[in-house]
Each structure stands twice: as structure tokens, then as C-alpha cells.
Amino acid sequence: MKQRPIIFNTEMVRAILDGRKTQTRRMFKAQPHDDWAPFSKNAEWYTPTVIDKRGFYQAAKDDVFGVSSEDCAFVSPFGTLGDQLWVREAMTKAHWPDLHYVCGGLTAGTGDEDFDYRGAEYRGFIPSIHMPRWAARILLEVTAVRVERLNEISKDDAIKEGFDHSRSAAAKSAGWYEKPRTAFLRTWDQIYHNLDANPWVWVVEFKVISTTGGAA
């Protein structure tokens, strides 16, 4: 079992803490060619091949977890089933030496001399990417990994992404709410501006195993 960091914005951290989010989509860092089709969309262990100096295919030394076709393969950057992801979320140094989560809830803990974001005098916002491991409170366990095109997302999966607004106070007041799939795709396009490209994405399903891990 390995642990890896994963970043979530404040809204998605709240959805995880509320039990509304059990899935996340992350774009491939490099997109495969247009007609790429993996043998299986479910990530699995396989033995990659390498080309030796004579031009022959040989098995690599270690198996990897991911997806592949005959000519193009991708290793899961989120590990395999049972691996853990510790959530990086935004914090603030407004009450230094105590660090607080922007999302609210527990105190992130007391900073020490090894954590010197922008110097001891800084009393502001700390982006999630700078969260140290010891301050992370949310620990997730990977339960499934697959790949798909972005626009393949279903209504049920959009709800698992945390985009069911039908029960919000605003929706109840207005008598209308944006449908989960539409809300997810609109939000994605606002961030990445590539909805029309319909990119390949990793779909990571998870369960929460701790909301106090690493917190003081």
C-alpha cells in the first residue's frame, strides 16, 4: 500500500466531508492519439514491453497498474486499489502558529520552524499545493480506477462527483436546480476550457477512511 497526495478545492473538500463526493476525474497529462482504445477501461496490472537494442519486444522487469492498447499505455498516477490518497487543501496562517483549514472544521495543527511558507510574518492564505503531509486531515482509499472520455460521465457519476444541488437551500428557494451532469461539465469547462475536445480522464473512486489523520 502506498500513499500519494491529491489536491481538492475547498468546495470539493466540503463535499467529501459531507459524504457527497466519492469520485474524482483527472485529465491525462498527455492525451493519446485520436483513435486510441484501451483493451479495458478498468485499470489493471499488466506487464509492459520494451524494445531491446535488436528491435525485439521484451517484457519489462516489473508489472504496472494502468491501461494499455497495442501501441500506447498509461500508468495510473493514483496507484492501485487499496492505495491511499491524502488530501491537500487550502489553509491559512491568519492565527499563526496555529494553521486552519479554509474549509473550516479542525485546526490543521501548529506550525513549526520546518514550515515557513512565505516567512514567519506572513498571515494569509496558503494554497493547497503547499500543504505539508503532517497537516492533512482527510485520507482516502482508492476503490476503483478506470479511464473514459470526459463526456461519457453519467448523471449518477456526476452526483458521485459532488454535483447534486437539488437539496440545496438555493434550489429549494428557487424551485429549480442545474442537473448534476450539466453542472459538472460546466464547472469542468470553466477550469480547463476543453469540453469540446472531450479528453481522456482518469476516474478514481474512493472511500473516506479518516478525516482527522495528521491533524493535531
Side-chain angles (χ1 to χ4, degrees):
M1 184 274 292
K2 294 183 178 180
Q3 287 191 351
R4 296 172 174 82
I6 188 169
I7 292 175
F8 285 101
N9 64 28
T10 299
E11 183 179 356
M12 292 298 99
V13 169
R14 172 49 54 196
I16 291 173
L17 292 174
D18 290 346
R20 296 182 288 107
K21 185 174 179 67
T22 58
Q23 203 176 91
T24 187
R25 278 161 175 72
R26 304 296 167 110
M27 192 162 51
F28 280 30
K29 287 187 176 180
Q31 290 290 307
H33 51 76
D34 290 341
D35 57 350
W36 181 69
F39 294 127
S40 172
K41 289 188 177 181
N42 293 319
E44 56 190 18
W45 288 99
Y46 67 92
T47 303
T49 56
V50 295
I51 301 176
D52 64 22
K53 61 183 180 181
R54 296 174 297 171
F56 295 114
Y57 286 94
Q58 304 288 343
K61 294 182 179 179
D62 299 312
D63 287 355
V64 294
F65 186 78
V67 292
S68 67
S69 65
E70 290 184 353
D71 62 352
C72 191
F74 295 87
V75 177
S76 166
F78 305 100
T80 184
L81 280 60
D83 282 353
Q84 297 177 352
L85 303 170
W86 58 273
V87 174
R88 277 182 159 152
E89 58 179 298
M91 303 185 299
T92 176
K93 285 179 70 177
H95 305 285
W96 184 261
D98 288 339
L99 293 166
H100 292 266
Y101 303 112
V102 171
C103 187
L106 298 171
T107 301
T110 300
D112 56 31
E113 60 185 15
D114 293 329
F115 183 68
D116 191 30
Y117 179 77
R118 290 194 175 180
E121 301 303 316
Y122 180 73
R123 295 292 182 270
F125 176 81
I126 304 171
S128 53
I129 195 171
H130 294 292
M131 169 182 270
R133 173 65 183 91
W134 59 261
R137 57 174 164 172
I138 303 175
L139 193 61
L140 311 173
E141 180 180 315
V142 177
T143 58
V145 181
R146 69 177 188 274
V147 299
E148 65 183 29
R149 291 281 197 174
L150 177 65
N151 284 309
E152 292 179 33
I153 187 171
S154 66
K155 173 186 174 182
D156 288 344
D157 281 348
I159 292 174
K160 291 177 182 178
E161 282 271 6
F163 281 83
D164 183 5
H165 305 308
S166 61
R167 299 179 182 178
S168 69
K172 291 178 180 178
S173 175
W176 174 89
Y177 73 98
E178 190 173 27
K179 293 182 178 180
R181 187 176 182 277
T182 302
F184 172 83
L185 292 174
R186 175 183 56 78
T187 302
W188 177 283
D189 203 41
Q190 287 177 341
I191 299 171
Y192 298 106
H193 311 291
N194 64 358
L195 185 62
D196 291 341
N198 196 21
W200 282 95
V201 295
W202 294 100
V203 182
V204 182
E205 298 188 41
F206 55 82
K207 64 180 180 181
V208 178
I209 59 177
S210 175
T211 58
T212 60

